[in-house]
Amino acid sequence: MRSGSSNEYDSDIGRITGIQTNEAPVKYLISYLDRNGETADKIIAVTTQEAEDAYANICDVLKEYGNEKGIALSEPVSVPFRGNTVETIRDVIKKISVEDTVYIDTTGSFRNSSYLLMTVVRVLEFSNIKFAKAVYSNYETKKIEDVTDLYRMFDLINAINSFTSFGNSKELQSFFKPDENDLINKTLEVMNQFSDEITLCRTSKLESLLKKLNSCLEELSEAESLKDNNELLFTSLSETIRKKFGLQNNEIDYPDIIKWCLDNRLIQQAVTVYAEKMPEYFYKKGYYKETADMLEELERRQEKSKFDRYYDLFYGLFVQHNGLPDEINILGSIVKSVDTKGLIGKNIGKTSEESIYTALADCRDFSTFIRRF
């Protein structure tokens, strides 16, 4: 016979009883799966030496519960915790297969157990093992609390980091799927287009995409009527996203994108944006002007050119009369390599790459540019 008073916990599938703190949430997960036509094929219990009696008890409790509810359950599998967290994580993962879906009870145990379980979830998801639900029994409120969203927040943070580090919006799109919030859907769509543009080293739509991205992120940072915590977290991090791109004057511009590419070692993307879009940026800043003769020649060039007006004006006409500053001369060989091979040539070694990195990283400093022109 087990000693102690039984506690009742409210849940979304009815009341669940338990004496020890971990009984009710495990029973809940078993019944939750059963109601959805699924079965808990394997129950894994991380146990310490001090918890051997508790482990024996939960085995008895679950056997009795399975018989009572007519649910076939296998005996829980013990994974001993001997003080080494990494070894414990490894032992847990060994007992889980790629086709499994994982449900977690986070109630009780030692103080660092929640971090251990959180790490397990991260490693499982990295291995493409699906994490579905996490719960615990709240003794104060007598409720089975669902904390799945708390774990999911780490997915969101990782997805945002993936976008700000590599321009990859796939994880964000997968996280929100089609969201009920139109602003989030619109922002994700712009992020997807930006991701494609950067990944494929295209710049034709970059100007309009930057305008849309700036607008969406600014609007997102001021949004108020939000559905859930994930949307709230996304909006609260929208300003961080902008800062990660190094924005100046409250909006992301070409120099920000170039510097961001360099910081994340996207050298080819940085060179492409620099070579193709900075002529436009320099022109609109007033750092060079065309003459009437240049305009006539420009019109003739544009009839056959695959580049925009600023590119042809700057590289095809203006620099022929004024010469290139050192910063652009440094880029010569690598730009040619990108144009002809689609990748950085073998002739560009580490020393040259660092020189290019330095030159590009200083592209905000126009004093040299103005002086030489």
Side-chain angles (χ1 to χ4, degrees), residues 190 206-216 252 284:
V190 173
L206 196 55
E207 181 178 10
S208 62
L209 284 175
L210 286 181
K211 288 179 180 179
K212 291 177 183 177
L213 187 61
N214 281 315
S215 175
C216 285
I252 303 168
K284 291 182 177 179

Side-chain angles (χ1 to χ4, degrees), residues 260-320:
W260 169 77
C261 286
L262 293 168
D263 287 341
N264 293 287
R265 308 307 292 166
L266 302 172
I267 302 296
Q268 184 174 339
Q269 284 83 351
V271 169
T272 302
V273 176
Y274 189 97
E276 295 185 7
K277 301 310 291 185
M278 289 309 287
E280 176 185 353
Y281 186 84
F282 290 146
Y283 183 87
K284 291 182 177 179
K285 288 291 184 180
Y287 296 137
Y288 71 97
K289 294 180 180 179
E290 71 275 41
T291 64
D293 290 340
M294 285 182 186
L295 285 177
E296 285 187 26
E297 177 63 22
L298 179 63
E299 295 304 321
R300 288 194 291 271
R301 283 174 176 266
Q302 280 283 288
E303 291 177 3
K304 300 179 180 180
S305 177
K306 63 180 180 179
F307 297 106
D308 64 25
R309 291 175 61 85
Y310 301 104
Y311 187 100
D312 281 339
L313 175 62
F314 184 75
Y315 293 111
L317 298 171
F318 187 75
V319 298
Q320 289 183 4

Side-chain angles (χ1 to χ4, degrees), residues 78 85 131 133 147 173 182 185 187 192 218 227-228 260 275 324 330-331 341 362:
S78 174
T85 302
F131 161 69
K133 199 175 188 67
V147 290
Q173 189 74 29
D182 291 338
N185 286 332
T187 303
N192 282 337
E218 184 176 0
K227 184 184 67 173
D228 58 28
W260 169 77
L324 284 169
I330 291 172
L331 291 172
K341 299 177 184 177
D362 291 338

